[in-house]
Amino acid sequence: MKRPSGKGRVWRRGEAGFDTAVLATSFNARDPGVRPEMQVEANDAAEVGRALQVARENRWQVSIVSGGHSWAQNHLRDGGLLLSMARFNHIAIDPAARIAQVGPGCWGLDLDRALKKHDLFFPIAHAPDVALGGFLLQGGFGWGSRELGLATESVIGIDLMLADGREVHASASENPDLFWAARGSGPDFFAVVLRYHLKLHPRPRATAMQMQVFRQEHLDAVFRWADAVGSSVPRSVELQLLITPRALGIFRPGIEVIAPVLAPTWAEAREAVRFIADSPIRKLASFTTPLIPMRTSFMSQVANITHFPPDVRWCTDNIWTDAPIDDLLPGLHAIAETMPPAPSHSLWLNWQPPAQPRPDMAFSLEAKRYLAVYGEWTRDEDNHRYAGWATERMAAMQAHSVGIQLADENLGKRPARFMKDANLARLDSVRQTYDPGGLFRLWMGRPDR
Ligand SMILES: Cc1cc2nc3c(=O)[nH]c(=O)nc-3n(C[C@H](O)[C@H](O)[C@H](O)COP(=O)(O)OP(=O)(O)OC[C@H]3O[C@@H](n4cnc5c(N)ncnc54)[C@H](O)[C@@H]3O)c2cc1C
């Protein structure tokens, strides 16, 4: 993605440059073929207010984009008004109070760079250009989130514009129902986020990564091992298993075991990843790297080159699962055997929710393990071959799923449970209070009103 340049403007359907401007809002290069009537690139809150007024006058529904990293392109709908918040990318840090005010269009990487100067940290997403807008609304599995909590748990306040144009602040003590709804509703949220107020954390002193690569024939052994060690992996380690047709270093189908660690000291970092060196399957590995000191921002930028290149088409889907590994292995083999070409991949994340319950918020669904699939292709001619792959693979494993995570949602193609039923009912009721006329779009896959 590119950062927005110049002053934002209003685009009308049919005018020269309109299609390019609309498609440029999306990380996923797929053209879904639908277009809004108008795209407003807002520069300030007054322009957001005017855009909502135009939408109300024209009886248009509004969809919102900040960083455009919704794989499903949730903001691209037919008709209505598309509001881009990408230019709301300001960052103001109060290092003494350890808080920041940040616009929804701000990239994670930019926030991280600004915080580094103050030796502070926030659990931003794993790709540098994911913006805080959608990331924090859907929950946010960020760097260090297994220890620090979902990124949205570090949101302490939100400045919002409601459907009627009123600006309000939401926090635990002010408009708590809006605050509850904003933390986990993702594409189902029903107001415009103008600004987040964030709680900041001390910057981890030791950030590093260890990696082990296996040939695909060892898939059963690798996943059985990961499943067995899962609950004992220190919370400072994000154990990820990536199935890929071209594994790093061996350039053939394989499994990349990636263990980033964020710890207060190097001794703790080394101790935290000891389970990899001690692993009973280590001799099956094609290679094991040492623990390599590496900034999280560098890890993100490398991952963007190796796994998330720009200007390509994507299909994604996911499940949260607590199912026994024997039930999951057939699905994992099917993923490996049918995967579109590299850099398509799947992610097995050793999530393991914390023992303490999370705060009461819309986000309410998770499981011990997270499995997501990312299909990638470069040419429109291949849409028919690959576009349904992620949906098919996750539909086949649906029986083992407790629901999905909104981060990698595919609701337009495969609607699935993304929060507890009681929370979804409460969310609908809060929406009815603040957006009774249905100005803001519902999540893709749920019928529009
Ligand atoms: C390469 C890549 C890596 C990713 N890595 C991670 C990761 O490590 N962890 C993780 O949790 N997720 C990750 N994601 C998922 C990502 O966090 C979500 O797609 C998130 O919604 C992206 O935020 P965005 O603002 O960039 O996207 P957008 O597409 O702009 O927003 C997604 C949706 O959020 C809503 N929205 C956005 N901005 C606003 C606003 N200002 N006001 C109201 N509603 C708004 C809209 O409904 C919009 O359709 C990744 C995605 C990609 C493509």
Side-chain angles (χ1 to χ4, degrees), residues 25 27 63-71 73-76 85 104-105 124-127 129-143 160 186-194 196 304 308 314 405-408 441:
T25 60
F27 172 83
S63 56
I64 308 169
V65 64
S66 288
H69 276 63
S70 159
W71 301 98
Q73 304 172 299
N74 175 66
H75 61 286
L76 296 182
M85 298 298 288
I124 55 161
H126 293 73
D129 46 358
V130 171
L132 295 179
F135 174 68
L136 293 175
L137 281 178
Q138 50 93 14
F141 153 53
W143 288 113
L160 296 166
D188 208 16
F189 193 53
F190 40 79
V192 185
V193 175
L194 302 172
Y196 288 108
N304 255 24
F308 299 117
W314 292 95
Q405 181 177 198
L406 288 171
D408 301 314
R441 299 267 189 190

Side-chain angles (χ1 to χ4, degrees), residues 313-387:
R313 286 111 187 99
W314 292 95
C315 65
T316 58
D317 205 338
N318 72 87
I319 56 171
W320 285 117
T321 180
D322 286 326
I325 189 65
D326 282 336
D327 292 351
L328 299 173
L329 282 171
L332 292 167
H333 277 283
I335 288 169
E337 283 152 22
T338 61
M339 190 173 279
S344 299
H345 59 280
S346 68
L347 164 70
W348 166 285
L349 176 65
N350 179 51
W351 180 240
Q352 312 282 343
Q356 296 297 323
R358 297 196 190 276
D360 183 23
M361 55 185 173
F363 183 99
S364 46
L365 200 64
E366 56 193 318
K368 288 184 196 147
R369 302 180 226 100
Y370 179 62
L371 176 65
V373 286
Y374 309 86
E376 179 268 359
W377 63 103
T378 49
R379 303 177 318 162
D380 280 336
E381 301 89 275
D382 290 330
N383 285 354
H384 69 285
R385 293 175 70 187
Y386 301 129

Side-chain angles (χ1 to χ4, degrees), residues 43-337:
N43 296 293
D44 55 36
E47 289 185 10
V48 175
R50 278 200 290 282
L52 298 191
Q53 192 182 344
V54 169
R56 286 192 303 268
E57 286 165 4
N58 286 282
R59 296 183 180 281
W60 286 339
Q61 282 199 300
V62 174
S63 56
I64 308 169
V65 64
S66 288
H69 276 63
S70 159
W71 301 98
Q73 304 172 299
N74 175 66
H75 61 286
L76 296 182
R77 310 289 185 101
D78 212 16
L81 186 142
L82 172 57
L83 174 64
S84 167
M85 298 298 288
R87 283 170 177 75
F88 280 62
N89 51 10
H90 50 272
I91 303 172
I93 299 169
D94 180 342
R98 285 197 182 168
I99 53 173
Q101 295 182 9
V102 182
C106 171
W107 286 11
L109 177 69
D110 294 340
L111 176 61
D112 189 60
R113 282 183 176 154
L115 292 177
K116 191 166 177 283
K117 294 178 192 147
H118 304 287
D119 215 13
L120 292 168
F121 187 76
F122 189 80
I124 55 161
H126 293 73
D129 46 358
V130 171
L132 295 179
F135 174 68
L136 293 175
L137 281 178
Q138 50 93 14
F141 153 53
W143 288 113
S145 269
R146 291 192 69 230
E147 197 137 50
L148 299 174
L150 295 158
T152 206
E153 290 177 61
S154 292
V155 173
I156 52 174
I158 315 179
D159 297 336
L160 296 166
M161 188 174 290
L162 302 177
D164 60 11
R166 264 183 306 146
E167 279 185 56
V168 298
H169 181 73
S171 68
S173 55
E174 230 176 301
N175 297 303
D177 48 353
L178 281 169
F179 188 59
W180 178 90
R183 297 191 303 161
S185 56
D188 208 16
F189 193 53
F190 40 79
V192 185
V193 175
L194 302 172
R195 189 178 298 105
Y196 288 108
H197 301 249
L198 308 177
K199 177 178 79 180
L200 306 174
H201 302 273
R203 200 166 183 88
R205 292 259 165 265
T207 60
M209 192 181 78
Q210 184 152 20
M211 186 173 164
Q212 205 165 42
V213 173
F214 296 84
R215 289 179 178 216
Q216 201 148 291
E217 67 217 51
H218 300 306
L219 188 147
D220 283 22
V222 175
F223 278 88
R224 280 187 199 285
W225 163 76
D227 186 58
V229 296
S231 60
S232 61
V233 172
R235 297 203 75 81
S236 57
V237 179
E238 293 174 7
L239 178 62
Q240 310 177 14
L241 271 55
L242 275 60
I243 302 177
T244 155
R246 195 180 60 221
L248 288 169
I250 60 171
F251 310 106
R252 61 174 69 210
I255 302 134
E256 298 166 357
V257 174
I258 300 179
V261 54
L262 282 69
T265 64
W266 286 105
E268 283 167 274
R270 278 191 294 275
E271 184 57 30
V273 293
R274 185 188 291 278
F275 70 97
I276 294 182
D278 291 350
S279 143
I281 58 160
R282 65 186 182 281
K283 292 207 172 71
L284 299 178
S286 301
F287 68 89
T288 304
T289 69
L291 183 65
I292 307 169
M294 211 182 275
R295 288 198 305 271
T296 51
S297 56
F298 184 73
M299 291 187 227
S300 294
Q301 281 162 317
V302 171
N304 255 24
I305 295 166
T306 55
H307 293 88
F308 299 117
D311 301 324
V312 296
R313 286 111 187 99
W314 292 95
C315 65
T316 58
D317 205 338
N318 72 87
I319 56 171
W320 285 117
T321 180
D322 286 326
I325 189 65
D326 282 336
D327 292 351
L328 299 173
L329 282 171
L332 292 167
H333 277 283
I335 288 169
E337 283 152 22

